[in-house]
Amino acid sequence: MYGHGAPSPPRLRVYETVGEAFRLTFRNFRTMLGLALAPIVLAVLLPAVMRLDLQTDASSVQLVIHAIARLFLLSVFAVAWHRYLLLGTRDTSVPIQFWPSARDVKYFGRLILFLLPQEIILVAMQAHDLLLVLVLLLITLFVAAPFALAFPATAVDNYQGLMAARRALRGATLQLVGAILLSFVAITVFLFLLGGVLGSLVLATFGPGAMVSFFNALTFLTVGIPVAVVTVAYRKLTPQAPAFGTAATPANDS
């Protein structure tokens, strides 16, 4: 509770947080691509392996399995990206990192808690309506945002429970939602234009399955900055969070 004589609630400035997330991302863009490359390649190959396309013969089971597998690959990337931004080091010296561990499984379990219901609804309704997708994403964001700091905490082995994450963010939830939305809008506008042009070309040239793979790849580039936004918020609002490592210095990957 915040009152007279009590500490002020945590403050998170939306534009400052988003700006810092963009700076960290583009300053370390090559590193981010190295962390994302293996999950992207696997996500691109996944629809072909599953013989999945956008046609009506794709079963609901296939679609759910595809969604779960994609979320796991996103988790592996997000954990590595959180860790690099907070610790300034990667878990391997190999430029292209893909080393799933128990930490990634824990992160995935907490991510799927919030995102799987959305995926199941989309599959059940066979939804291709962009407006419905956006509404579900907004609902998911507002449900998950109070617990968002659990994700970087999990990545750096400092997880203390969802309620502890919620307490750490108390008073700054709407600011974090605003920062995530702003970062999504900024990067999605660019990727939407890119996807609109190249996606149509991929669909016409290679078919529906290839387009699923193409948008799987774009997903990783779309989430990189929001992951950085949550990382910045975690560092600002959590006293025991590690200081930004070499990722925050201009001399690192540019």
Side-chain angles (χ1 to χ4, degrees), residues 3-195:
H4 181 68
S8 300
R11 298 192 63 185
L12 197 67
R13 293 181 174 85
V14 172
Y15 293 108
E16 179 184 300
T17 301
V18 173
E20 188 167 355
F22 269 92
R23 284 193 296 273
L24 285 170
T25 298
F26 287 107
R27 190 175 292 157
N28 300 279
F29 192 71
R30 286 183 296 173
T31 298
M32 187 187 78
L33 287 182
L35 299 174
L37 186 57
I40 285 176
V41 170
L42 291 173
V44 165
L45 295 175
L46 185 62
V49 172
M50 295 181 62
R51 298 183 179 180
L52 177 70
D53 58 35
L54 299 178
Q55 298 172 1
T56 55
D57 60 354
S59 71
S60 296
V61 173
Q62 277 183 305
L63 292 171
V64 170
I65 292 173
H66 174 261
I68 291 173
R70 186 182 59 178
L71 286 177
F72 180 73
L73 293 172
L74 281 169
S75 296
V76 174
F77 162 62
V79 167
W81 187 219
H82 281 306
R83 287 179 66 78
Y84 181 74
L85 290 177
L86 286 169
L87 305 177
T89 184
R90 297 186 297 165
D91 295 335
T92 175
S93 59
V94 178
I96 298 173
Q97 177 173 324
F98 188 72
W99 199 264
S101 66
R103 183 186 297 120
D104 301 279
V105 174
K106 293 174 185 175
Y107 190 101
F108 170 66
R110 285 150 198 163
L111 183 66
I112 208 170
L113 176 67
F114 296 105
L115 293 187
L116 188 60
Q118 168 194 285
E119 297 287 347
I120 290 174
I121 291 171
L122 289 173
V123 169
M125 299 182 68
Q126 297 184 338
H128 301 297
D129 183 349
L130 180 60
L131 180 59
L132 175 60
V133 172
L134 290 176
V135 168
L136 285 173
L137 281 173
L138 281 174
I139 292 171
T140 301
L141 176 59
F142 276 96
V143 170
F147 311 100
L149 300 190
F151 295 104
T154 299
V156 293
D157 304 315
N158 192 33
Y159 179 71
Q160 297 177 343
L162 290 175
M163 290 302 105
R166 186 173 182 274
R167 286 192 297 272
L169 190 60
R170 186 175 298 165
T173 302
L174 289 180
Q175 293 96 316
L176 180 59
V177 168
I180 292 172
L181 284 175
L182 181 59
S183 68
F184 261 126
V185 168
I187 195 68
T188 302
V189 166
F190 170 74
L191 292 177
F192 180 77
L193 295 174
L194 179 66

